[in-house]
Amino acid sequence: MIFTSTKSASLASSFLSEKVFFFSLSYLLPYLYAIMLSLQPSTSITRFSSFSQLYHRRRHSISPPPAPHLPLTRRTPLRHRLQIRALDAAQPFDYETQISDRFAQSTKLKIAIVGFGNFGQFLAKTLVSQGHTVLAHSRSNHSQIAQQLGVSFFSNPHDLCEEHPEVMLLCTSIISTENVLRSLPLQRLKRSTLFVDVLSVKEFPKNLFIQILPGDFDILCTHPMFGPESGKDSWLGLPFVYDKVRVGNEESRAIRIERFLEIFEREGCRMVEMSCAEHDKYAAGSQFITHTMGRVLEKLRLDTTPINTKGYETLLNLVENTASDSFDLYYGLFMYNKNAMEQLERLDLAFESLKKELFGHLHDVCRKQLFGKAEGMDVLEDQRVLSKLPQNGAALPAPSDTVRAENN
Ligand SMILES: *[C@@H]1O[C@H](CO)[C@@H](O)[C@H](O)[C@H]1NC(C)=O
């Protein structure tokens, strides 16, 4: 500016006499300077506001043009005008959020967990993370951990039932289930309530529910085949067994049970629909055997060695996994599954039969050494093949029969 004014001054000097020029310049300079200073910000405001106006019109063609009475002069406060446009632009976004919120609300359930121990807390984490409203009741005071998980804790079962949850999710231990169920004030619940259990045996809670619950209540028996240990990172691909034991005719009841199952579907569980009786048969031959072997090995106090094989590492893992479950659970698997006793007996027989084969083989080797080749070799060959017990459910031959059959 100073450069321009001196330049114009030198130009002017060629036309005007020195005296006149210096007088006029010294007289006008402060005014010129003041005008140029005040013009500088005003032009930038005008340019910016017209640009933002254009920008907003192009971006949001549906937003109305600025009101004609709004003066676009440099005195209009910039912040005020921008605020109006921002509100205008935010409205559709807000609207969509509200709609999606309302939609999400309708797919969420109010679930009351009864028995807030290890497993109840484990399930609660996922239920809360999926946006369901979770309540809990337990005989022990777990209010602190409930608060940390975002769960409302009720020490009194009456208070819990008066909250009218849509789903009552029993996470009790097998052996306490009957007492807990009988102590619940069922009359305080809504007439349409869904009862769900997650016990590791299925026929027992199914019969208990049918016996104790009013006919209006829906019943879903489930068994998530995983726990806080095996499902701590993800439930992806883990089996979830369920049996829709009783669902009322109303559409809302069918939808409610589907929504509950969706919780596990969404986590990637392998959903297996199966009758409670079938489950118990499979579980006795797999889960109960696993727990039993884990506990037998635990009694051996296996220790890690510098030369662990992969197989041995598997055994150590098995001990670790089964030892983290309570003895009550193991006892429940045995006591409340009618197929478990047969499996325990089969285990016993299998061990006896294995020992007999080993000792029988040893006996023959000793005899051969003592009496030379007087006796035939074919008997020995036959006994090398270890005999196998019949499959689940087949009649159990006496171990002596097995050995005799092999010898024939
Ligand atoms: C449960 O424990 C919390 C603190 O952890 C306490 O404030 C509350 O009074 C207890 N409730 C009962 C019924 O004992």
Side-chain angles (χ1 to χ4, degrees):
M1 277 179 288
I2 289 160
F3 175 75
T4 328
S5 57
T6 36
K7 203 176 163 192
S8 60
S10 64
L11 262 169
S13 66
S14 57
F15 295 103
L16 298 163
S17 73
E18 270 187 287
K19 261 185 190 174
V20 174
F21 170 68
F22 273 112
F23 169 71
S24 61
L25 191 68
S26 58
Y27 182 75
L28 285 173
L29 241 167
Y31 289 95
L32 276 170
Y33 196 77
I35 288 167
M36 285 178 104
L37 266 182
S38 63
L39 267 175
Q40 197 62 31
S42 85
T43 34
S44 69
I45 283 176
T46 322
R47 249 168 52 208
F48 183 75
S49 63
S50 61
F51 169 73
S52 74
Q53 207 179 317
L54 186 70
Y55 176 74
H56 275 278
R57 266 192 212 155
R58 280 199 186 152
R59 287 264 311 205
H60 310 284
S61 49
I62 48 157
S63 70
H69 67 266
L70 265 179
L72 287 173
T73 57
R74 63 194 174 96
R75 290 288 168 230
T76 311
L78 172 65
R79 202 187 294 159
H80 181 59
R81 260 191 291 158
L82 282 177
Q83 258 181 349
I84 291 169
R85 296 222 168 84
L87 266 177
D88 205 30
Q91 263 172 357
F93 170 73
D94 197 25
Y95 178 72
E96 275 170 37
T97 315
Q98 281 171 13
I99 290 285
S100 80
D101 271 358
R102 226 175 296 157
F103 176 74
Q105 208 60 46
S106 69
T107 65
K108 301 305 172 199
L109 293 166
K110 190 173 187 179
I111 302 169
I113 297 178
V114 177
F116 203 53
N118 238 357
F119 201 77
Q121 294 167 16
F122 166 68
L123 289 183
K125 276 175 212 154
T126 301
L127 299 182
V128 170
S129 78
Q130 287 196 15
H132 300 283
T133 306
V134 184
L135 323 171
H137 161 68
S138 199
R139 284 176 298 181
S140 326
N141 186 357
H142 287 300
S143 56
Q144 214 157 9
I145 186 116
Q147 200 183 356
Q148 286 163 15
L149 295 175
V151 173
S152 319
F153 189 82
F154 296 83
S155 298
N156 191 319
H158 289 263
D159 294 337
L160 179 89
C161 292
E162 280 173 358
E163 292 289 318
H164 289 169
E166 295 163 277
V167 182
M168 290 285 277
L169 177 59
L170 255 69
C171 295
T172 48
S173 70
I174 298 172
I175 54 175
S176 71
T177 298
E178 182 165 4
N179 279 343
V180 171
L181 194 60
R182 287 191 190 279
S183 72
L184 288 177
L186 301 176
Q187 74 281 3
R188 295 199 189 275
L189 290 165
K190 277 196 295 187
R191 198 168 58 82
S192 164
T193 302
L194 168 64
F195 264 77
V196 184
D197 85 291
V198 290
L199 297 187
S200 300
V201 291
K202 291 275 54 74
E203 279 211 275
F204 166 67
K206 175 189 166 182
N207 294 333
L208 209 59
F209 277 164
I210 290 174
Q211 192 190 331
I212 295 175
L213 298 179
D216 283 318
F217 287 1
D218 290 349
I219 300 171
L220 175 69
C221 288
T222 78
H223 184 198
M225 308 288 298
F226 50 92
E229 213 25 64
S230 49
K232 67 173 174 235
D233 297 322
S234 144
W235 298 359
L236 194 68
L238 300 175
F240 180 87
V241 181
Y242 65 97
D243 185 4
K244 295 177 189 175
V245 174
R246 189 166 73 200
V247 190
N249 286 327
E250 291 105 313
E251 197 192 352
S252 63
R253 288 171 179 256
I255 292 173
R256 178 175 58 194
I257 212 162
E258 289 309 324
R259 270 197 208 129
F260 184 83
L261 292 171
E262 269 166 27
I263 294 170
F264 297 89
E265 256 167 35
R266 273 182 60 174
E267 297 296 321
C269 288
R270 188 161 61 79
M271 307 298 284
V272 185
E273 188 166 13
M274 178 185 284
S275 75
C276 290
E278 252 182 307
H279 167 276
D280 282 2
K281 207 162 179 181
Y282 284 126
S286 60
Q287 193 188 21
F288 177 69
I289 292 276
T290 309
H291 279 251
T292 303
M293 292 318 294
R295 283 182 186 271
V296 167
L297 293 171
E298 193 189 1
K299 287 196 184 298
L300 288 179
R301 297 183 183 280
L302 300 184
D303 246 335
T304 184
T305 72
I307 50 166
N308 287 357
T309 58
K310 278 194 176 172
Y312 187 63
E313 294 277 352
T314 315
L315 289 189
L316 290 179
N317 281 340
L318 176 65
V319 173
E320 200 183 324
N321 284 345
T322 45
S324 62
D325 287 317
S326 68
F327 186 80
D328 274 2
L329 169 66
Y330 177 59
Y331 174 70
L333 292 182
F334 172 69
M335 195 60 193
Y336 294 88
N337 187 342
K338 64 177 183 189
N339 309 290
M341 181 59 100
E342 186 193 323
Q343 292 298 332
L344 200 62
E345 278 172 357
R346 287 186 83 241
L347 264 181
D348 239 1
L349 290 178
F351 194 58
E352 283 305 313
S353 147
L354 200 59
K355 275 199 292 187
K356 276 208 169 78
E357 283 174 51
L358 280 177
F359 295 154
H361 184 69
L362 183 67
H363 176 79
D364 282 330
V365 171
C366 290
R367 199 167 52 184
K368 199 187 93 188
Q369 284 178 351
L370 284 174
F371 303 108
K373 296 195 180 200
E375 300 196 25
M377 296 289 289
D378 48 336
V379 177
L380 240 159
E381 287 300 320
D382 280 349
Q383 280 183 340
R384 277 207 187 117
V385 184
L386 296 182
S387 64
K388 280 185 183 147
L389 286 181
Q391 281 301 306
N392 293 0
L396 290 168
S400 52
D401 290 347
T402 321
V403 175
R404 226 177 289 135
E406 292 285 320
N407 285 345
N408 287 342

